[in-house]
Amino acid sequence: MDPQQVVSNDCETQKDYIDDARLKKMMKETQPSFMERYGSCLVTFVLIAINVVVFGIEVVLNGFNPDISSLVLFDMGAMFAPAIQGQGDLYRFVTPMFLHVDVMHLLFNMAALYSAGVLLEYLLGRWNFLLLYFIGGYHRQCRFVSCRYRDGYL
């Protein structure tokens, strides 16, 4: 008996092809869920969503013009050091982290947030990454105000 005949006969008796139903079942078993795939960067996605929603609010308040005016930014809490008159104005240290002047500003910031955020959130963990995001944003606002004082604008 020829060895090739034995191999071909064995292959014919075994079911070594995958039909559509079996392939779909195998794909479903091996495909991770959304949370398994992106669960490690949940905070990054939430921050991006918040930024996009806030920009949408800016556009609506600006009369559906995507180039946001300074007045709208000021009304929404942009950092303007002379406007900080007391403890009631301290929100201006946090709100600028979510304000953007135009679509390009938003897109570049969200691309940077996504590219760095996914890695940092994976390395630091959710809460530490969120803390880093807010400490970085707060520090930037403090630096802005201190430079204004130093340069004599206040």
Side-chain angles (χ1 to χ4, degrees):
M1 187 177 248
D2 188 354
Q4 284 184 344
Q5 249 182 347
V6 172
V7 171
S8 67
N9 286 340
D10 287 342
C11 288
E12 289 173 9
T13 58
Q14 293 179 355
K15 186 177 181 181
D16 58 353
Y17 70 92
I18 300 174
D19 61 351
D20 287 340
R22 187 170 173 208
L23 178 62
K24 286 179 185 175
K25 183 180 176 192
M26 288 171 60
M27 291 296 291
K28 197 176 239 184
E29 290 172 354
T30 59
Q31 240 180 10
S33 68
F34 179 82
M35 285 306 290
E36 289 171 336
R37 261 184 287 168
Y38 301 110
S40 65
C41 52
L42 184 65
V43 171
T44 302
F45 288 143
V46 169
L47 288 172
I48 289 171
I50 291 170
N51 277 284
V52 169
V53 167
V54 169
F55 184 73
I57 294 169
E58 289 176 40
V59 169
V60 169
L61 292 176
N62 200 44
F64 294 97
N65 182 359
D67 295 323
I68 309 303
S69 72
S70 299
L71 184 60
V72 169
L73 290 172
F74 178 79
D75 290 343
M76 289 190 70
M79 177 53 79
F80 182 62
I84 300 174
Q85 300 295 322
Q87 289 184 348
D89 297 319
L90 293 180
Y91 67 93
R92 291 189 184 275
F93 284 93
V94 177
T95 53
M97 289 184 247
F98 302 102
L99 299 176
H100 297 87
V101 176
D102 59 15
V103 176
M104 196 60 85
H105 181 206
L106 176 73
L107 291 176
F108 277 115
N109 279 11
M110 295 310 98
L113 176 59
Y114 178 77
S115 62
V118 170
L119 178 64
L120 287 172
E121 189 172 351
Y122 176 76
L123 293 174
L124 301 174
R126 285 185 182 142
W127 297 111
N128 288 335
F129 171 66
L130 189 61
L131 185 64
L132 176 70
Y133 183 85
F134 279 100
I135 287 173
Y138 179 78
H139 178 262
R140 193 263 177 246
Q141 301 313 317
C142 290
R143 203 175 66 221
F144 173 80
V145 171
S146 68
C147 287
R148 290 300 209 185
Y149 278 115
R150 181 195 67 205
D151 295 342
Y153 291 112
L154 298 177

PDB file of all heavy atoms in Angstrom, residues 52-81:
ATOM      1  N   VAL A  52     -14.856  66.038  24.400  1.00  0.00           N
ATOM      2  CA  VAL A  52     -15.676  66.191  23.192  1.00  0.00           C
ATOM      3  C   VAL A  52     -17.044  66.780  23.549  1.00  0.00           C
ATOM      4  O   VAL A  52     -17.546  67.678  22.849  1.00  0.00           O
ATOM      5  CB  VAL A  52     -15.808  64.844  22.451  1.00  0.00           C
ATOM      6  CG1 VAL A  52     -16.848  64.911  21.353  1.00  0.00           C
ATOM      7  CG2 VAL A  52     -14.455  64.415  21.883  1.00  0.00           C
ATOM      8  N   VAL A  53     -17.651  66.309  24.627  1.00  0.00           N
ATOM      9  CA  VAL A  53     -18.956  66.840  25.051  1.00  0.00           C
ATOM     10  C   VAL A  53     -18.837  68.318  25.426  1.00  0.00           C
ATOM     11  O   VAL A  53     -19.677  69.144  25.034  1.00  0.00           O
ATOM     12  CB  VAL A  53     -19.537  66.005  26.215  1.00  0.00           C
ATOM     13  CG1 VAL A  53     -20.706  66.708  26.868  1.00  0.00           C
ATOM     14  CG2 VAL A  53     -19.940  64.629  25.728  1.00  0.00           C
ATOM     15  N   VAL A  54     -17.786  68.665  26.160  1.00  0.00           N
ATOM     16  CA  VAL A  54     -17.591  70.065  26.549  1.00  0.00           C
ATOM     17  C   VAL A  54     -17.388  70.932  25.308  1.00  0.00           C
ATOM     18  O   VAL A  54     -17.933  72.043  25.219  1.00  0.00           O
ATOM     19  CB  VAL A  54     -16.415  70.207  27.541  1.00  0.00           C
ATOM     20  CG1 VAL A  54     -16.025  71.663  27.739  1.00  0.00           C
ATOM     21  CG2 VAL A  54     -16.777  69.579  28.878  1.00  0.00           C
ATOM     22  N   PHE A  55     -16.632  70.421  24.330  1.00  0.00           N
ATOM     23  CA  PHE A  55     -16.457  71.187  23.097  1.00  0.00           C
ATOM     24  C   PHE A  55     -17.793  71.357  22.374  1.00  0.00           C
ATOM     25  O   PHE A  55     -18.073  72.426  21.813  1.00  0.00           O
ATOM     26  CB  PHE A  55     -15.433  70.537  22.172  1.00  0.00           C
ATOM     27  CG  PHE A  55     -15.151  71.350  20.945  1.00  0.00           C
ATOM     28  CD1 PHE A  55     -14.396  72.509  21.029  1.00  0.00           C
ATOM     29  CD2 PHE A  55     -15.662  70.979  19.719  1.00  0.00           C
ATOM     30  CE1 PHE A  55     -14.154  73.283  19.900  1.00  0.00           C
ATOM     31  CE2 PHE A  55     -15.427  71.738  18.584  1.00  0.00           C
ATOM     32  CZ  PHE A  55     -14.663  72.894  18.677  1.00  0.00           C
ATOM     33  N   GLY A  56     -18.616  70.330  22.390  1.00  0.00           N
ATOM     34  CA  GLY A  56     -19.948  70.445  21.797  1.00  0.00           C
ATOM     35  C   GLY A  56     -20.771  71.532  22.467  1.00  0.00           C
ATOM     36  O   GLY A  56     -21.470  72.306  21.799  1.00  0.00           O
ATOM     37  N   ILE A  57     -20.677  71.619  23.781  1.00  0.00           N
ATOM     38  CA  ILE A  57     -21.381  72.681  24.522  1.00  0.00           C
ATOM     39  C   ILE A  57     -20.821  74.048  24.133  1.00  0.00           C
ATOM     40  O   ILE A  57     -21.575  75.012  23.943  1.00  0.00           O
ATOM     41  CB  ILE A  57     -21.281  72.433  26.042  1.00  0.00           C
ATOM     42  CG1 ILE A  57     -22.037  71.152  26.411  1.00  0.00           C
ATOM     43  CG2 ILE A  57     -21.799  73.630  26.824  1.00  0.00           C
ATOM     44  CD1 ILE A  57     -21.781  70.666  27.828  1.00  0.00           C
ATOM     45  N   GLU A  58     -19.494  74.131  23.993  1.00  0.00           N
ATOM     46  CA  GLU A  58     -18.875  75.396  23.568  1.00  0.00           C
ATOM     47  C   GLU A  58     -19.424  75.829  22.205  1.00  0.00           C
ATOM     48  O   GLU A  58     -19.742  77.004  22.004  1.00  0.00           O
ATOM     49  CB  GLU A  58     -17.355  75.235  23.443  1.00  0.00           C
ATOM     50  CG  GLU A  58     -16.607  75.084  24.735  1.00  0.00           C
ATOM     51  CD  GLU A  58     -15.133  74.835  24.486  1.00  0.00           C
ATOM     52  OE1 GLU A  58     -14.545  75.455  23.579  1.00  0.00           O
ATOM     53  OE2 GLU A  58     -14.560  74.008  25.196  1.00  0.00           O
ATOM     54  N   VAL A  59     -19.504  74.884  21.276  1.00  0.00           N
ATOM     55  CA  VAL A  59     -19.985  75.197  19.925  1.00  0.00           C
ATOM     56  C   VAL A  59     -21.429  75.683  19.976  1.00  0.00           C
ATOM     57  O   VAL A  59     -21.790  76.668  19.313  1.00  0.00           O
ATOM     58  CB  VAL A  59     -19.839  73.962  18.996  1.00  0.00           C
ATOM     59  CG1 VAL A  59     -20.569  74.172  17.684  1.00  0.00           C
ATOM     60  CG2 VAL A  59     -18.369  73.651  18.747  1.00  0.00           C
ATOM     61  N   VAL A  60     -22.261  75.035  20.777  1.00  0.00           N
ATOM     62  CA  VAL A  60     -23.664  75.453  20.900  1.00  0.00           C
ATOM     63  C   VAL A  60     -23.747  76.857  21.493  1.00  0.00           C
ATOM     64  O   VAL A  60     -24.487  77.717  20.989  1.00  0.00           O
ATOM     65  CB  VAL A  60     -24.469  74.437  21.748  1.00  0.00           C
ATOM     66  CG1 VAL A  60     -25.833  74.986  22.111  1.00  0.00           C
ATOM     67  CG2 VAL A  60     -24.592  73.116  21.012  1.00  0.00           C
ATOM     68  N   LEU A  61     -22.984  77.122  22.549  1.00  0.00           N
ATOM     69  CA  LEU A  61     -23.004  78.449  23.175  1.00  0.00           C
ATOM     70  C   LEU A  61     -22.423  79.517  22.263  1.00  0.00           C
ATOM     71  O   LEU A  61     -22.711  80.709  22.430  1.00  0.00           O
ATOM     72  CB  LEU A  61     -22.243  78.420  24.502  1.00  0.00           C
ATOM     73  CG  LEU A  61     -22.883  77.608  25.627  1.00  0.00           C
ATOM     74  CD1 LEU A  61     -21.987  77.592  26.853  1.00  0.00           C
ATOM     75  CD2 LEU A  61     -24.254  78.164  25.971  1.00  0.00           C
ATOM     76  N   ASN A  62     -21.602  79.107  21.314  1.00  0.00           N
ATOM     77  CA  ASN A  62     -20.971  80.047  20.377  1.00  0.00           C
ATOM     78  C   ASN A  62     -21.810  80.215  19.103  1.00  0.00           C
ATOM     79  O   ASN A  62     -21.323  80.713  18.103  1.00  0.00           O
ATOM     80  CB  ASN A  62     -19.565  79.562  20.037  1.00  0.00           C
ATOM     81  CG  ASN A  62     -18.687  80.651  19.496  1.00  0.00           C
ATOM     82  OD1 ASN A  62     -18.671  81.756  20.019  1.00  0.00           O
ATOM     83  ND2 ASN A  62     -17.963  80.345  18.437  1.00  0.00           N
ATOM     84  N   GLY A  63     -23.050  79.774  19.125  1.00  0.00           N
ATOM     85  CA  GLY A  63     -23.919  79.907  17.968  1.00  0.00           C
ATOM     86  C   GLY A  63     -23.568  78.950  16.847  1.00  0.00           C
ATOM     87  O   GLY A  63     -23.656  79.307  15.677  1.00  0.00           O
ATOM     88  N   PHE A  64     -23.172  77.755  17.190  1.00  0.00           N
ATOM     89  CA  PHE A  64     -22.807  76.695  16.248  1.00  0.00           C
ATOM     90  C   PHE A  64     -21.621  77.065  15.360  1.00  0.00           C
ATOM     91  O   PHE A  64     -21.484  76.581  14.253  1.00  0.00           O
ATOM     92  CB  PHE A  64     -24.016  76.251  15.415  1.00  0.00           C
ATOM     93  CG  PHE A  64     -25.061  75.599  16.251  1.00  0.00           C
ATOM     94  CD1 PHE A  64     -26.148  76.323  16.708  1.00  0.00           C
ATOM     95  CD2 PHE A  64     -24.939  74.273  16.613  1.00  0.00           C
ATOM     96  CE1 PHE A  64     -27.109  75.730  17.512  1.00  0.00           C
ATOM     97  CE2 PHE A  64     -25.899  73.677  17.413  1.00  0.00           C
ATOM     98  CZ  PHE A  64     -26.975  74.401  17.865  1.00  0.00           C
ATOM     99  N   ASN A  65     -20.774  77.922  15.864  1.00  0.00           N
ATOM    100  CA  ASN A  65     -19.522  78.277  15.189  1.00  0.00           C
ATOM    101  C   ASN A  65     -18.402  77.504  15.878  1.00  0.00           C
ATOM    102  O   ASN A  65     -18.187  77.674  17.081  1.00  0.00           O
ATOM    103  CB  ASN A  65     -19.286  79.785  15.297  1.00  0.00           C
ATOM    104  CG  ASN A  65     -18.034  80.228  14.575  1.00  0.00           C
ATOM    105  OD1 ASN A  65     -17.310  79.415  13.997  1.00  0.00           O
ATOM    106  ND2 ASN A  65     -17.777  81.520  14.625  1.00  0.00           N
ATOM    107  N   PRO A  66     -17.655  76.664  15.141  1.00  0.00           N
ATOM    108  CA  PRO A  66     -16.623  75.844  15.789  1.00  0.00           C
ATOM    109  C   PRO A  66     -15.368  76.611  16.200  1.00  0.00           C
ATOM    110  O   PRO A  66     -14.511  76.067  16.892  1.00  0.00           O
ATOM    111  CB  PRO A  66     -16.293  74.783  14.739  1.00  0.00           C
ATOM    112  CG  PRO A  66     -16.698  75.370  13.444  1.00  0.00           C
ATOM    113  CD  PRO A  66     -17.826  76.311  13.733  1.00  0.00           C
ATOM    114  N   ASP A  67     -15.234  77.881  15.785  1.00  0.00           N
ATOM    115  CA  ASP A  67     -14.129  78.721  16.263  1.00  0.00           C
ATOM    116  C   ASP A  67     -14.643  79.485  17.479  1.00  0.00           C
ATOM    117  O   ASP A  67     -15.332  80.497  17.362  1.00  0.00           O
ATOM    118  CB  ASP A  67     -13.663  79.684  15.165  1.00  0.00           C
ATOM    119  CG  ASP A  67     -13.058  78.940  13.998  1.00  0.00           C
ATOM    120  OD1 ASP A  67     -12.375  77.934  14.232  1.00  0.00           O
ATOM    121  OD2 ASP A  67     -13.279  79.368  12.847  1.00  0.00           O
ATOM    122  N   ILE A  68     -14.287  78.986  18.646  1.00  0.00           N
ATOM    123  CA  ILE A  68     -14.887  79.465  19.891  1.00  0.00           C
ATOM    124  C   ILE A  68     -14.345  80.851  20.254  1.00  0.00           C
ATOM    125  O   ILE A  68     -13.141  81.088  20.232  1.00  0.00           O
ATOM    126  CB  ILE A  68     -14.599  78.467  21.035  1.00  0.00           C
ATOM    127  CG1 ILE A  68     -14.971  77.035  20.621  1.00  0.00           C
ATOM    128  CG2 ILE A  68     -15.315  78.871  22.304  1.00  0.00           C
ATOM    129  CD1 ILE A  68     -16.405  76.843  20.193  1.00  0.00           C
ATOM    130  N   SER A  69     -15.255  81.757  20.621  1.00  0.00           N
ATOM    131  CA  SER A  69     -14.843  83.109  21.001  1.00  0.00           C
ATOM    132  C   SER A  69     -14.300  83.125  22.424  1.00  0.00           C
ATOM    133  O   SER A  69     -14.598  82.252  23.242  1.00  0.00           O
ATOM    134  CB  SER A  69     -16.029  84.069  20.900  1.00  0.00           C
ATOM    135  OG  SER A  69     -16.950  83.814  21.940  1.00  0.00           O
ATOM    136  N   SER A  70     -13.511  84.144  22.710  1.00  0.00           N
ATOM    137  CA  SER A  70     -12.919  84.294  24.042  1.00  0.00           C
ATOM    138  C   SER A  70     -13.984  84.488  25.111  1.00  0.00           C
ATOM    139  O   SER A  70     -13.832  84.028  26.244  1.00  0.00           O
ATOM    140  CB  SER A  70     -11.966  85.493  24.059  1.00  0.00           C
ATOM    141  OG  SER A  70     -10.930  85.301  23.153  1.00  0.00           O
ATOM    142  N   LEU A  71     -15.059  85.158  24.750  1.00  0.00           N
ATOM    143  CA  LEU A  71     -16.136  85.399  25.714  1.00  0.00           C
ATOM    144  C   LEU A  71     -16.786  84.091  26.155  1.00  0.00           C
ATOM    145  O   LEU A  71     -17.039  83.877  27.346  1.00  0.00           O
ATOM    146  CB  LEU A  71     -17.183  86.347  25.119  1.00  0.00           C
ATOM    147  CG  LEU A  71     -18.310  86.764  26.054  1.00  0.00           C
ATOM    148  CD1 LEU A  71     -17.746  87.493  27.268  1.00  0.00           C
ATOM    149  CD2 LEU A  71     -19.307  87.643  25.325  1.00  0.00           C
ATOM    150  N   VAL A  72     -17.031  83.183  25.200  1.00  0.00           N
ATOM    151  CA  VAL A  72     -17.613  81.879  25.534  1.00  0.00           C
ATOM    152  C   VAL A  72     -16.640  81.088  26.405  1.00  0.00           C
ATOM    153  O   VAL A  72     -17.036  80.481  27.404  1.00  0.00           O
ATOM    154  CB  VAL A  72     -17.977  81.084  24.251  1.00  0.00           C
ATOM    155  CG1 VAL A  72     -18.334  79.649  24.579  1.00  0.00           C
ATOM    156  CG2 VAL A  72     -19.123  81.766  23.533  1.00  0.00           C
ATOM    157  N   LEU A  73     -15.368  81.113  26.047  1.00  0.00           N
ATOM    158  CA  LEU A  73     -14.366  80.403  26.853  1.00  0.00           C
ATOM    159  C   LEU A  73     -14.308  80.981  28.268  1.00  0.00           C
ATOM    160  O   LEU A  73     -14.239  80.234  29.252  1.00  0.00           O
ATOM    161  CB  LEU A  73     -12.989  80.471  26.185  1.00  0.00           C
ATOM    162  CG  LEU A  73     -12.849  79.667  24.904  1.00  0.00           C
ATOM    163  CD1 LEU A  73     -11.519  79.969  24.225  1.00  0.00           C
ATOM    164  CD2 LEU A  73     -12.974  78.180  25.181  1.00  0.00           C
ATOM    165  N   PHE A  74     -14.348  82.302  28.367  1.00  0.00           N
ATOM    166  CA  PHE A  74     -14.333  82.938  29.691  1.00  0.00           C
ATOM    167  C   PHE A  74     -15.559  82.537  30.498  1.00  0.00           C
ATOM    168  O   PHE A  74     -15.455  82.197  31.676  1.00  0.00           O
ATOM    169  CB  PHE A  74     -14.264  84.465  29.547  1.00  0.00           C
ATOM    170  CG  PHE A  74     -14.286  85.170  30.870  1.00  0.00           C
ATOM    171  CD1 PHE A  74     -13.149  85.260  31.636  1.00  0.00           C
ATOM    172  CD2 PHE A  74     -15.465  85.737  31.346  1.00  0.00           C
ATOM    173  CE1 PHE A  74     -13.169  85.902  32.876  1.00  0.00           C
ATOM    174  CE2 PHE A  74     -15.493  86.379  32.571  1.00  0.00           C
ATOM    175  CZ  PHE A  74     -14.342  86.458  33.335  1.00  0.00           C
ATOM    176  N   ASP A  75     -16.729  82.577  29.854  1.00  0.00           N
ATOM    177  CA  ASP A  75     -17.968  82.206  30.547  1.00  0.00           C
ATOM    178  C   ASP A  75     -17.955  80.755  31.005  1.00  0.00           C
ATOM    179  O   ASP A  75     -18.590  80.408  32.002  1.00  0.00           O
ATOM    180  CB  ASP A  75     -19.179  82.454  29.652  1.00  0.00           C
ATOM    181  CG  ASP A  75     -19.454  83.934  29.452  1.00  0.00           C
ATOM    182  OD1 ASP A  75     -18.937  84.752  30.240  1.00  0.00           O
ATOM    183  OD2 ASP A  75     -20.185  84.269  28.491  1.00  0.00           O
ATOM    184  N   MET A  76     -17.243  79.896  30.259  1.00  0.00           N
ATOM    185  CA  MET A  76     -17.187  78.477  30.625  1.00  0.00           C
ATOM    186  C   MET A  76     -16.064  78.168  31.616  1.00  0.00           C
ATOM    187  O   MET A  76     -15.882  77.029  32.003  1.00  0.00           O
ATOM    188  CB  MET A  76     -17.048  77.615  29.376  1.00  0.00           C
ATOM    189  CG  MET A  76     -18.324  77.601  28.549  1.00  0.00           C
ATOM    190  SD  MET A  76     -18.279  76.399  27.250  1.00  0.00           S
ATOM    191  CE  MET A  76     -18.357  74.867  28.159  1.00  0.00           C
ATOM    192  N   GLY A  77     -15.293  79.174  31.996  1.00  0.00           N
ATOM    193  CA  GLY A  77     -14.299  78.961  33.040  1.00  0.00           C
ATOM    194  C   GLY A  77     -12.864  78.945  32.595  1.00  0.00           C
ATOM    195  O   GLY A  77     -11.997  78.391  33.279  1.00  0.00           O
ATOM    196  N   ALA A  78     -12.565  79.550  31.443  1.00  0.00           N
ATOM    197  CA  ALA A  78     -11.173  79.604  30.998  1.00  0.00           C
ATOM    198  C   ALA A  78     -10.333  80.382  32.003  1.00  0.00           C
ATOM    199  O   ALA A  78     -10.844  81.244  32.724  1.00  0.00           O
ATOM    200  CB  ALA A  78     -11.085  80.257  29.620  1.00  0.00           C
ATOM    201  N   MET A  79      -9.055  80.088  32.054  1.00  0.00           N
ATOM    202  CA  MET A  79      -8.158  80.765  32.984  1.00  0.00           C
ATOM    203  C   MET A  79      -7.927  82.202  32.521  1.00  0.00           C
ATOM    204  O   MET A  79      -7.432  82.455  31.422  1.00  0.00           O
ATOM    205  CB  MET A  79      -6.821  80.024  33.054  1.00  0.00           C
ATOM    206  CG  MET A  79      -5.799  80.713  33.940  1.00  0.00           C
ATOM    207  SD  MET A  79      -6.381  81.074  35.606  1.00  0.00           S
ATOM    208  CE  MET A  79      -6.232  79.498  36.371  1.00  0.00           C
ATOM    209  N   PHE A  80      -8.352  83.101  33.373  1.00  0.00           N
ATOM    210  CA  PHE A  80      -8.076  84.522  33.201  1.00  0.00           C
ATOM    211  C   PHE A  80      -7.737  85.013  34.593  1.00  0.00           C
ATOM    212  O   PHE A  80      -8.607  85.170  35.441  1.00  0.00           O
ATOM    213  CB  PHE A  80      -9.282  85.238  32.603  1.00  0.00           C
ATOM    214  CG  PHE A  80      -9.058  86.699  32.339  1.00  0.00           C
ATOM    215  CD1 PHE A  80      -8.082  87.111  31.438  1.00  0.00           C
ATOM    216  CD2 PHE A  80      -9.811  87.654  32.993  1.00  0.00           C
ATOM    217  CE1 PHE A  80      -7.866  88.454  31.197  1.00  0.00           C
ATOM    218  CE2 PHE A  80      -9.601  89.002  32.754  1.00  0.00           C
ATOM    219  CZ  PHE A  80      -8.631  89.394  31.861  1.00  0.00           C
ATOM    220  N   ALA A  81      -6.465  85.179  34.828  1.00  0.00           N
ATOM    221  CA  ALA A  81      -5.973  85.420  36.186  1.00  0.00           C
ATOM    222  C   ALA A  81      -6.672  86.573  36.901  1.00  0.00           C
ATOM    223  O   ALA A  81      -7.000  86.437  38.089  1.00  0.00           O
ATOM    224  CB  ALA A  81      -4.457  85.617  36.154  1.00  0.00           C
TER     225      ALA A  81
END
